[in-house]
Amino acid sequence: MEYRIQDLIDIGLFQELLDRLNDAFCLTTAIVDNESNVITASGWQDVCMKFHRANKDSEFICKKSDRYITEHLQEADPFVIYKCLHGLVDAATPIIVEGKHLANFFIGQAFLEKPDIDFFKKQAEKYGYDEEKFLEAVSKVPVISEEELQNRLGFIRSMTEILAKMGHERLKQIELLNELQKKNRELSNSVEQSIYALSKASEIRDRYTAGHQKRVRQLACAIASDMGLAPETINNISLGALVHDIGKIYIPSDILNKPGQITDLEYELIKEHPKHGYDIVKDINLPWQIPVMIYQHHERLDGSGYPEGIKGDGIIIESRILSVAEVVEAMSSHRPYRPNLGIDAALNEIRAGRGTKFDSEVVDACVGLFTEKGFAFTE
Ligand SMILES: [Fe+2]
Protein backbone atom coordinates (compact mmCIF):
# COMPACT_ATOMS: atom_id res chain seq x y z
CA MET A 1 0.00 0.00 0.00
CA GLU A 2 1.59 3.31 -1.12
CA TYR A 3 0.77 6.37 0.97
CA ARG A 4 2.11 9.76 1.95
CA ILE A 5 1.88 11.54 5.28
CA GLN A 6 -0.99 13.61 3.79
CA ASP A 7 -2.96 10.38 3.21
CA LEU A 8 -2.73 9.43 6.89
CA ILE A 9 -3.32 12.74 8.64
CA ASP A 10 -5.87 15.45 7.93
CA ILE A 11 -3.30 18.16 7.32
CA GLY A 12 -5.75 21.07 7.78
CA LEU A 13 -6.76 19.83 11.24
CA PHE A 14 -3.20 18.97 12.18
CA GLN A 15 -2.03 22.44 11.19
CA GLU A 16 -4.74 23.85 13.48
CA LEU A 17 -3.52 21.64 16.33
CA LEU A 18 0.09 22.74 15.82
CA ASP A 19 -0.97 26.40 15.75
CA ARG A 20 -2.67 25.85 19.12
CA LEU A 21 0.47 24.20 20.48
CA ASN A 22 2.45 27.19 19.29
CA ASP A 23 0.01 29.61 20.97
CA ALA A 24 0.24 27.67 24.23
CA PHE A 25 3.92 26.71 24.33
CA CYS A 26 5.72 28.86 21.71
CA LEU A 27 6.41 25.72 19.75
CA THR A 28 7.75 26.38 16.28
CA THR A 29 7.08 23.36 14.08
CA ALA A 30 7.17 22.19 10.49
CA ILE A 31 6.60 18.92 8.69
CA VAL A 32 8.62 18.59 5.51
CA ASP A 33 8.15 15.56 3.29
CA ASN A 34 10.95 13.60 1.63
CA GLU A 35 10.65 15.77 -1.48
CA SER A 36 11.23 18.91 0.65
CA ASN A 37 7.61 20.06 0.41
CA VAL A 38 6.52 21.95 3.51
CA ILE A 39 3.35 20.16 4.71
CA THR A 40 2.71 22.21 7.87
CA ALA A 41 4.41 25.27 9.29
CA SER A 42 3.56 26.92 12.54
CA GLY A 43 5.02 29.74 14.62
CA TRP A 44 8.11 30.35 12.57
CA GLN A 45 10.08 33.21 14.04
CA ASP A 46 10.37 36.58 12.31
CA VAL A 47 14.11 36.37 12.76
CA CYS A 48 14.05 33.45 10.35
CA MET A 49 11.23 34.36 7.95
CA LYS A 50 11.62 38.15 7.79
CA PHE A 51 15.41 38.36 8.01
CA HIS A 52 17.50 35.22 7.49
CA ARG A 53 15.38 33.63 4.77
CA ALA A 54 14.28 36.94 3.27
CA ASN A 55 17.83 37.88 2.31
CA LYS A 56 19.55 36.00 -0.52
CA ASP A 57 22.98 35.83 1.15
CA SER A 58 21.75 34.79 4.59
CA GLU A 59 19.18 32.39 3.08
CA PHE A 60 22.11 30.47 1.58
CA ILE A 61 23.28 29.74 5.12
CA CYS A 62 19.75 28.65 6.15
CA LYS A 63 19.62 26.16 3.28
CA LYS A 64 22.99 24.81 4.24
CA SER A 65 21.59 24.12 7.74
CA ASP A 66 18.43 22.54 6.24
CA ARG A 67 20.58 20.20 4.15
CA TYR A 68 22.71 19.23 7.12
CA ILE A 69 19.64 18.26 9.14
CA THR A 70 17.95 16.39 6.31
CA GLU A 71 21.11 14.43 5.50
CA HIS A 72 21.64 13.48 9.12
CA LEU A 73 18.01 12.50 9.59
CA GLN A 74 18.47 9.33 7.57
CA GLU A 75 20.39 7.78 10.41
CA ALA A 76 18.82 9.97 13.12
CA ASP A 77 17.78 7.97 16.13
CA PRO A 78 15.69 9.46 17.46
CA PHE A 79 16.53 13.05 16.41
CA VAL A 80 19.06 15.63 15.26
CA ILE A 81 19.73 18.84 17.16
CA TYR A 82 21.69 21.41 15.24
CA LYS A 83 22.81 24.96 15.86
CA CYS A 84 22.54 26.72 12.54
CA LEU A 85 25.25 29.00 11.29
CA HIS A 86 23.03 31.98 12.14
CA GLY A 87 23.09 30.93 15.80
CA LEU A 88 19.60 29.46 16.21
CA VAL A 89 18.94 25.91 17.26
CA ASP A 90 16.84 23.59 15.13
CA ALA A 91 15.90 20.01 15.83
CA ALA A 92 14.26 17.37 13.67
CA THR A 93 13.03 13.83 13.90
CA PRO A 94 11.90 11.43 11.17
CA ILE A 95 8.23 10.41 11.05
CA ILE A 96 8.22 6.65 10.59
CA VAL A 97 5.00 4.66 10.17
CA GLU A 98 5.05 0.86 9.78
CA GLY A 99 8.78 1.07 9.03
CA LYS A 100 8.32 3.71 6.32
CA HIS A 101 10.09 7.05 6.58
CA LEU A 102 7.34 9.42 5.41
CA ALA A 103 8.52 12.89 6.35
CA ASN A 104 10.57 14.86 8.87
CA PHE A 105 9.30 16.86 11.77
CA PHE A 106 11.21 20.06 12.56
CA ILE A 107 10.94 22.08 15.69
CA GLY A 108 13.21 24.81 16.78
CA GLN A 109 14.20 28.34 16.14
CA ALA A 110 15.14 28.58 19.74
CA PHE A 111 18.24 29.40 21.76
CA LEU A 112 19.76 26.98 24.20
CA GLU A 113 21.31 29.87 26.12
CA LYS A 114 20.81 33.63 26.32
CA PRO A 115 21.81 35.06 22.91
CA ASP A 116 25.00 37.05 22.46
CA ILE A 117 23.64 40.40 21.28
CA ASP A 118 26.96 41.47 19.71
CA PHE A 119 26.92 38.39 17.50
CA PHE A 120 23.51 39.44 16.15
CA LYS A 121 24.47 43.09 15.80
CA LYS A 122 27.32 41.92 13.55
CA GLN A 123 24.86 39.80 11.59
CA ALA A 124 22.58 42.82 11.06
CA GLU A 125 25.51 44.78 9.76
CA LYS A 126 26.76 41.95 7.52
CA TYR A 127 23.43 41.38 5.76
CA GLY A 128 22.14 44.95 5.97
CA TYR A 129 19.18 44.26 8.26
CA ASP A 130 17.47 47.09 10.15
CA GLU A 131 19.33 46.54 13.45
CA GLU A 132 16.58 47.69 15.76
CA LYS A 133 13.90 45.53 14.15
CA PHE A 134 16.25 42.57 13.81
CA LEU A 135 17.24 42.68 17.48
CA GLU A 136 13.58 42.94 18.44
CA ALA A 137 12.91 39.78 16.42
CA VAL A 138 15.89 38.07 18.09
CA SER A 139 14.52 38.98 21.51
CA LYS A 140 11.32 37.08 20.74
CA VAL A 141 13.15 33.79 20.14
CA PRO A 142 12.56 31.57 23.18
CA VAL A 143 15.48 30.37 25.27
CA ILE A 144 15.02 26.77 26.32
CA SER A 145 17.24 24.01 27.67
CA GLU A 146 18.43 21.14 25.48
CA GLU A 147 16.45 18.75 27.68
CA GLU A 148 13.31 20.83 27.11
CA LEU A 149 13.95 20.79 23.37
CA GLN A 150 14.33 17.00 23.43
CA ASN A 151 11.14 16.63 25.45
CA ARG A 152 9.19 18.78 23.03
CA LEU A 153 10.55 16.87 20.07
CA GLY A 154 9.72 13.54 21.73
CA PHE A 155 6.17 14.67 22.43
CA ILE A 156 5.61 15.95 18.91
CA ARG A 157 7.12 12.81 17.42
CA SER A 158 4.86 10.51 19.47
CA MET A 159 1.76 12.55 18.74
CA THR A 160 2.45 12.60 15.00
CA GLU A 161 3.21 8.90 14.84
CA ILE A 162 0.10 7.97 16.83
CA LEU A 163 -2.08 10.07 14.53
CA ALA A 164 -0.36 8.67 11.46
CA LYS A 165 -0.82 5.09 12.75
CA MET A 166 -4.53 5.77 13.27
CA GLY A 167 -4.67 7.10 9.71
CA HIS A 168 -2.85 3.99 8.52
CA GLU A 169 -5.42 1.75 10.23
CA ARG A 170 -8.19 3.76 8.57
CA LEU A 171 -6.50 3.35 5.17
CA LYS A 172 -6.28 -0.42 5.73
CA GLN A 173 -10.00 -0.50 6.59
CA ILE A 174 -10.87 1.48 3.48
CA GLU A 175 -8.79 -0.95 1.42
CA LEU A 176 -10.62 -3.91 2.99
CA LEU A 177 -13.97 -2.27 2.33
CA ASN A 178 -13.04 -1.68 -1.32
CA GLU A 179 -12.01 -5.31 -1.62
CA LEU A 180 -15.33 -6.40 -0.10
CA GLN A 181 -17.29 -4.17 -2.46
CA LYS A 182 -15.37 -5.61 -5.40
CA LYS A 183 -16.24 -9.15 -4.24
CA ASN A 184 -19.91 -8.13 -3.88
CA ARG A 185 -19.91 -6.73 -7.41
CA GLU A 186 -18.41 -9.97 -8.70
CA LEU A 187 -21.06 -11.95 -6.82
CA SER A 188 -23.91 -9.86 -8.15
CA ASN A 189 -22.45 -10.22 -11.66
CA SER A 190 -22.50 -13.98 -11.24
CA VAL A 191 -26.10 -13.77 -9.94
CA GLU A 192 -27.07 -11.85 -13.06
CA GLN A 193 -25.23 -14.33 -15.23
CA SER A 194 -27.24 -17.22 -13.71
CA ILE A 195 -30.45 -15.34 -14.46
CA TYR A 196 -29.40 -14.68 -18.07
CA ALA A 197 -28.46 -18.35 -18.49
CA LEU A 198 -31.93 -19.38 -17.27
CA SER A 199 -33.60 -16.86 -19.52
CA LYS A 200 -31.57 -18.19 -22.49
CA ALA A 201 -32.76 -21.73 -21.63
CA SER A 202 -36.40 -20.68 -21.72
CA GLU A 203 -35.80 -18.77 -24.96
CA ILE A 204 -34.52 -21.91 -26.70
CA ARG A 205 -37.57 -23.87 -25.69
CA ASP A 206 -40.34 -21.33 -26.10
CA ARG A 207 -39.89 -18.09 -28.00
CA TYR A 208 -43.25 -16.70 -26.92
CA THR A 209 -42.35 -16.95 -23.27
CA ALA A 210 -38.88 -15.50 -23.83
CA GLY A 211 -40.19 -12.42 -25.66
CA HIS A 212 -42.96 -12.04 -23.07
CA GLN A 213 -40.48 -12.08 -20.18
CA LYS A 214 -38.28 -9.42 -21.81
CA ARG A 215 -41.22 -7.10 -22.48
CA VAL A 216 -42.64 -7.66 -18.98
CA ARG A 217 -39.23 -6.75 -17.60
CA GLN A 218 -39.23 -3.52 -19.62
CA LEU A 219 -42.69 -2.51 -18.39
CA ALA A 220 -42.19 -3.65 -14.78
CA CYS A 221 -38.93 -1.68 -14.49
CA ALA A 222 -40.60 1.39 -16.00
CA ILE A 223 -43.46 1.13 -13.45
CA ALA A 224 -41.02 0.64 -10.54
CA SER A 225 -38.93 3.56 -11.66
CA ASP A 226 -42.04 5.75 -12.13
CA MET A 227 -43.05 4.86 -8.55
CA GLY A 228 -39.62 6.02 -7.34
CA LEU A 229 -38.54 2.65 -5.93
CA ALA A 230 -34.93 2.08 -4.86
CA PRO A 231 -32.37 1.06 -7.51
CA GLU A 232 -31.83 -2.36 -5.80
CA THR A 233 -35.57 -3.04 -5.92
CA ILE A 234 -35.70 -2.11 -9.59
CA ASN A 235 -32.73 -4.38 -10.25
CA ASN A 236 -34.44 -7.29 -8.47
CA ILE A 237 -37.61 -6.66 -10.48
CA SER A 238 -35.55 -6.61 -13.66
CA LEU A 239 -33.92 -9.97 -12.89
CA GLY A 240 -37.10 -11.60 -11.56
CA ALA A 241 -39.20 -10.45 -14.51
CA LEU A 242 -36.69 -11.87 -16.96
CA VAL A 243 -37.25 -15.42 -15.65
CA HIS A 244 -40.67 -15.16 -14.01
CA ASP A 245 -42.15 -17.85 -16.31
CA ILE A 246 -39.12 -20.18 -16.17
CA GLY A 247 -41.37 -22.79 -14.49
CA LYS A 248 -43.15 -23.25 -17.83
CA ILE A 249 -40.29 -25.48 -18.94
CA TYR A 250 -42.12 -28.18 -16.92
CA ILE A 251 -45.26 -27.74 -19.01
CA PRO A 252 -45.42 -29.80 -22.24
CA SER A 253 -44.91 -27.44 -25.17
CA ASP A 254 -47.99 -28.75 -27.03
CA ILE A 255 -50.10 -27.42 -24.12
CA LEU A 256 -48.26 -24.10 -24.03
CA ASN A 257 -48.51 -23.56 -27.77
CA LYS A 258 -51.95 -25.10 -28.26
CA PRO A 259 -54.15 -22.99 -30.53
CA GLY A 260 -57.65 -22.43 -29.16
CA GLN A 261 -59.14 -23.38 -25.80
CA ILE A 262 -57.26 -25.52 -23.29
CA THR A 263 -58.97 -28.07 -21.06
CA ASP A 264 -59.46 -27.65 -17.31
CA LEU A 265 -56.81 -30.27 -16.66
CA GLU A 266 -54.33 -28.45 -18.91
CA TYR A 267 -55.11 -25.20 -17.10
CA GLU A 268 -54.43 -26.89 -13.76
CA LEU A 269 -51.03 -27.97 -15.11
CA ILE A 270 -50.22 -24.44 -16.31
CA LYS A 271 -51.15 -23.02 -12.90
CA GLU A 272 -48.28 -24.98 -11.39
CA HIS A 273 -45.64 -22.97 -13.27
CA PRO A 274 -45.01 -20.32 -10.53
CA LYS A 275 -44.19 -23.17 -8.09
CA HIS A 276 -41.90 -24.85 -10.60
CA GLY A 277 -40.19 -21.50 -11.27
CA TYR A 278 -39.68 -20.94 -7.57
CA ASP A 279 -38.19 -24.43 -7.19
CA ILE A 280 -35.75 -23.78 -10.03
CA VAL A 281 -34.36 -20.51 -8.65
CA LYS A 282 -34.74 -20.96 -4.89
CA ASP A 283 -31.33 -22.57 -4.44
CA ILE A 284 -29.45 -19.98 -6.47
CA ASN A 285 -27.80 -17.32 -4.31
CA LEU A 286 -30.32 -14.59 -5.27
CA PRO A 287 -31.91 -11.75 -3.31
CA TRP A 288 -34.94 -13.39 -1.63
CA GLN A 289 -37.38 -11.12 -3.46
CA ILE A 290 -36.62 -12.80 -6.80
CA PRO A 291 -37.86 -16.33 -5.97
CA VAL A 292 -40.80 -14.82 -4.07
CA MET A 293 -41.89 -12.64 -6.99
CA ILE A 294 -41.68 -15.64 -9.32
CA TYR A 295 -43.90 -17.58 -6.91
CA GLN A 296 -46.39 -14.73 -6.52
CA HIS A 297 -46.68 -13.28 -10.01
CA HIS A 298 -50.17 -14.72 -10.60
CA GLU A 299 -51.46 -13.90 -7.13
CA ARG A 300 -54.14 -11.17 -6.80
CA LEU A 301 -54.75 -8.79 -3.86
CA ASP A 302 -58.29 -10.15 -3.30
CA GLY A 303 -57.01 -13.73 -3.03
CA SER A 304 -58.39 -14.77 -6.43
CA GLY A 305 -54.99 -15.61 -7.89
CA TYR A 306 -52.85 -18.75 -7.90
CA PRO A 307 -51.01 -20.90 -6.79
CA GLU A 308 -51.80 -20.02 -3.13
CA GLY A 309 -54.57 -17.43 -3.26
CA ILE A 310 -52.43 -15.08 -1.11
CA LYS A 311 -54.14 -11.80 -0.19
CA GLY A 312 -53.15 -8.15 0.35
CA ASP A 313 -49.97 -7.50 2.32
CA GLY A 314 -48.80 -11.08 1.80
CA ILE A 315 -47.98 -10.08 -1.78
CA ILE A 316 -44.73 -8.09 -1.99
CA ILE A 317 -44.51 -4.90 -4.06
CA GLU A 318 -42.20 -6.58 -6.59
CA SER A 319 -44.92 -9.21 -7.27
CA ARG A 320 -47.66 -6.56 -7.49
CA ILE A 321 -45.71 -4.72 -10.15
CA LEU A 322 -44.82 -7.91 -11.98
CA SER A 323 -48.44 -9.10 -12.05
CA VAL A 324 -49.72 -5.84 -13.59
CA ALA A 325 -46.90 -5.75 -16.17
CA GLU A 326 -47.55 -9.43 -16.91
CA VAL A 327 -51.26 -8.96 -17.62
CA VAL A 328 -50.75 -5.87 -19.77
CA GLU A 329 -48.03 -7.49 -21.85
CA ALA A 330 -49.88 -10.79 -22.23
CA MET A 331 -53.12 -9.15 -23.36
CA SER A 332 -51.50 -6.71 -25.71
CA SER A 333 -49.42 -9.24 -27.62
CA HIS A 334 -50.16 -12.17 -29.86
CA ARG A 335 -50.59 -15.67 -28.40
CA PRO A 336 -50.91 -19.01 -30.20
CA TYR A 337 -54.44 -19.40 -28.82
CA ARG A 338 -55.75 -15.88 -29.52
CA PRO A 339 -54.96 -12.72 -31.45
CA ASN A 340 -53.56 -9.53 -29.98
CA LEU A 341 -56.29 -7.85 -27.88
CA GLY A 342 -54.60 -4.46 -27.94
CA ILE A 343 -53.24 -2.15 -25.32
CA ASP A 344 -56.59 -0.46 -24.62
CA ALA A 345 -58.19 -3.76 -23.64
CA ALA A 346 -55.15 -4.52 -21.47
CA LEU A 347 -55.33 -1.18 -19.68
CA ASN A 348 -59.09 -1.59 -19.19
CA GLU A 349 -58.45 -4.97 -17.60
CA ILE A 350 -56.07 -3.54 -14.99
CA ARG A 351 -58.28 -0.47 -14.43
CA ALA A 352 -61.18 -2.85 -13.71
CA GLY A 353 -59.08 -4.64 -11.11
CA ARG A 354 -57.62 -1.45 -9.56
CA GLY A 355 -57.68 -1.75 -5.77
CA THR A 356 -59.26 -5.23 -5.85
CA LYS A 357 -57.06 -7.55 -7.83
CA PHE A 358 -54.26 -5.09 -8.52
CA ASP A 359 -52.40 -2.52 -6.42
CA SER A 360 -53.91 0.94 -7.15
CA GLU A 361 -50.58 2.75 -7.19
CA VAL A 362 -49.09 0.22 -9.57
CA VAL A 363 -52.12 0.43 -11.90
CA ASP A 364 -51.98 4.24 -11.90
CA ALA A 365 -48.27 4.23 -12.72
CA CYS A 366 -48.76 1.69 -15.52
CA VAL A 367 -51.74 3.52 -17.08
CA GLY A 368 -49.87 6.82 -16.82
CA LEU A 369 -46.86 5.34 -18.60
CA PHE A 370 -48.98 4.37 -21.63
CA THR A 371 -51.43 7.29 -21.71
CA GLU A 372 -49.23 10.21 -20.67
CA LYS A 373 -45.58 9.24 -20.87
CA GLY A 374 -45.42 7.56 -24.28
CA PHE A 375 -44.27 4.16 -23.03
CA ALA A 376 -44.00 1.50 -25.76
CA PHE A 377 -42.59 -2.03 -25.80
CA THR A 378 -39.31 -2.15 -27.71
CA GLU A 379 -38.29 -5.83 -27.33
FE1 LIG B 1 -46.67 -16.64 -15.57
Side-chain angles (χ1 to χ4, degrees):
M1 180 170 39
E2 279 304 314
Y3 49 84
R4 305 162 304 158
I5 185 78
Q6 297 95 313
D7 300 321
L8 305 183
I9 293 177
D10 182 323
I11 296 299
L13 287 178
F14 198 58
Q15 173 73 58
E16 227 173 273
L17 179 70
L18 294 172
D19 286 342
R20 298 271 167 165
L21 277 173
N22 178 50
D23 291 345
F25 307 109
C26 286
L27 206 57
T28 303
T29 58
I31 295 179
V32 180
D33 72 12
N34 294 333
E35 281 75 49
S36 302
N37 302 306
V38 177
I39 310 295
T40 68
S42 191
W44 283 25
Q45 296 288 335
D46 285 353
V47 68
C48 183
M49 302 311 290
K50 291 191 179 163
F51 295 93
H52 291 153
R53 287 180 195 265
N55 175 296
K56 262 210 156 93
D57 295 331
S58 52
E59 191 197 18
F60 177 74
I61 305 289
C62 298
K63 290 203 163 157
K64 220 169 145 184
S65 305
D66 292 346
R67 268 200 304 280
Y68 175 89
I69 292 188
T70 309
E71 279 163 15
H72 286 78
L73 268 172
Q74 298 304 325
E75 68 264 22
D77 184 23
F79 41 71
V80 174
I81 293 181
Y82 176 69
K83 186 172 177 182
C84 85
L85 298 168
H86 289 312
L88 276 86
V89 171
D90 283 322
T93 185
I95 301 171
I96 296 169
V97 177
E98 303 281 311
K100 259 190 195 168
H101 179 192
L102 297 182
N104 298 315
F105 208 114
F106 289 78
I107 73 167
Q109 296 176 332
F111 293 126
L112 294 182
E113 54 202 24
K114 212 164 173 288
D116 173 358
I117 296 301
D118 285 342
F119 174 79
F120 287 100
K121 276 186 181 168
K122 277 184 200 150
Q123 229 176 63
E125 196 183 343
K126 183 176 177 188
Y127 298 116
Y129 303 146
D130 177 322
E131 188 183 283
E132 194 185 332
K133 287 184 180 163
F134 180 58
L135 290 181
E136 193 193 334
V138 169
S139 73
K140 287 183 181 159
V141 177
V143 181
I144 57 173
S145 69
E146 185 167 340
E147 194 190 356
E148 171 77 352
L149 189 67
Q150 286 182 11
N151 283 341
R152 289 178 172 203
L153 202 53
F155 165 71
I156 289 282
R157 177 190 165 109
S158 299
M159 182 180 73
T160 312
E161 288 187 358
I162 288 168
L163 289 175
K165 264 182 198 155
M166 283 161 66
H168 185 253
E169 281 305 309
R170 192 174 48 92
L171 268 194
K172 278 205 294 200
Q173 280 170 5
I174 291 172
E175 206 166 69
L176 271 177
L177 195 68
N178 287 341
E179 191 62 27
L180 204 64
Q181 281 171 341
K182 192 176 154 220
K183 287 254 166 2
N184 275 345
R185 273 197 300 277
E186 283 167 9
L187 191 66
S188 88
N189 282 346
S190 74
V191 161
E192 291 187 14
Q193 277 161 10
S194 337
I195 293 284
Y196 290 129
L198 281 178
S199 131
K200 239 339 189 231
S202 69
E203 201 169 330
I204 289 163
R205 182 161 185 275
D206 171 9
R207 66 191 170 87
Y208 282 112
T209 301
H212 164 68
Q213 291 181 132
K214 285 180 183 168
R215 286 187 296 274
V216 168
R217 170 170 73 158
Q218 192 198 343
L219 178 56
C221 288
I223 294 171
S225 157
D226 191 71
M227 289 171 68
L229 299 188
E232 309 84 76
T233 307
I234 299 177
N235 195 45
N236 288 342
I237 290 174
S238 169
L239 295 173
L242 196 57
V243 290
H244 72 272
D245 272 340
I246 187 72
K248 283 189 177 170
I249 61 174
Y250 280 91
I251 319 278
S253 52
D254 48 353
I255 298 180
L256 282 181
N257 298 322
K258 185 178 174 181
Q261 280 290 345
I262 50 168
T263 67
D264 287 350
L265 185 66
E266 287 166 339
Y267 186 51
E268 288 306 312
L269 268 178
I270 286 175
K271 276 161 68 178
E272 291 293 302
H273 80 272
K275 278 186 186 170
H276 295 314
Y278 174 82
D279 285 339
I280 291 169
V281 301
K282 75 176 190 316
D283 295 326
I284 308 175
N285 190 12
L286 294 170
W288 64 268
Q289 294 89 341
I290 295 178
V292 171
M293 64 195 273
I294 291 171
Y295 196 91
Q296 295 184 339
H297 76 274
H298 284 287
E299 297 288 2
R300 300 291 180 255
L301 290 182
D302 57 6
S304 62
Y306 64 83
E308 299 286 344
I310 306 169
K311 279 186 183 174
D313 289 346
I315 305 172
I316 62 172
I317 185 65
E318 291 84 348
S319 314
R320 295 170 186 223
I321 291 174
L322 186 51
S323 63
V324 166
E326 220 270 338
V327 167
V328 170
E329 197 291 326
M331 287 185 68
S332 63
S333 63
H334 175 76
R335 282 289 184 276
Y337 44 87
R338 56 143 180 79
N340 174 353
L341 297 173
I343 192 66
D344 290 337
L347 294 184
N348 283 338
E349 175 75 11
I350 58 165
R351 278 192 193 105
R354 182 183 184 280
T356 50
K357 288 181 161 52
F358 304 113
D359 182 294
S360 310
E361 206 189 329
V362 176
V363 169
D364 293 345
C366 182
V367 170
L369 282 173
F370 282 99
T371 58
E372 293 160 26
K373 297 179 182 169
F375 177 88
F377 289 112
T378 54
E379 292 277 2

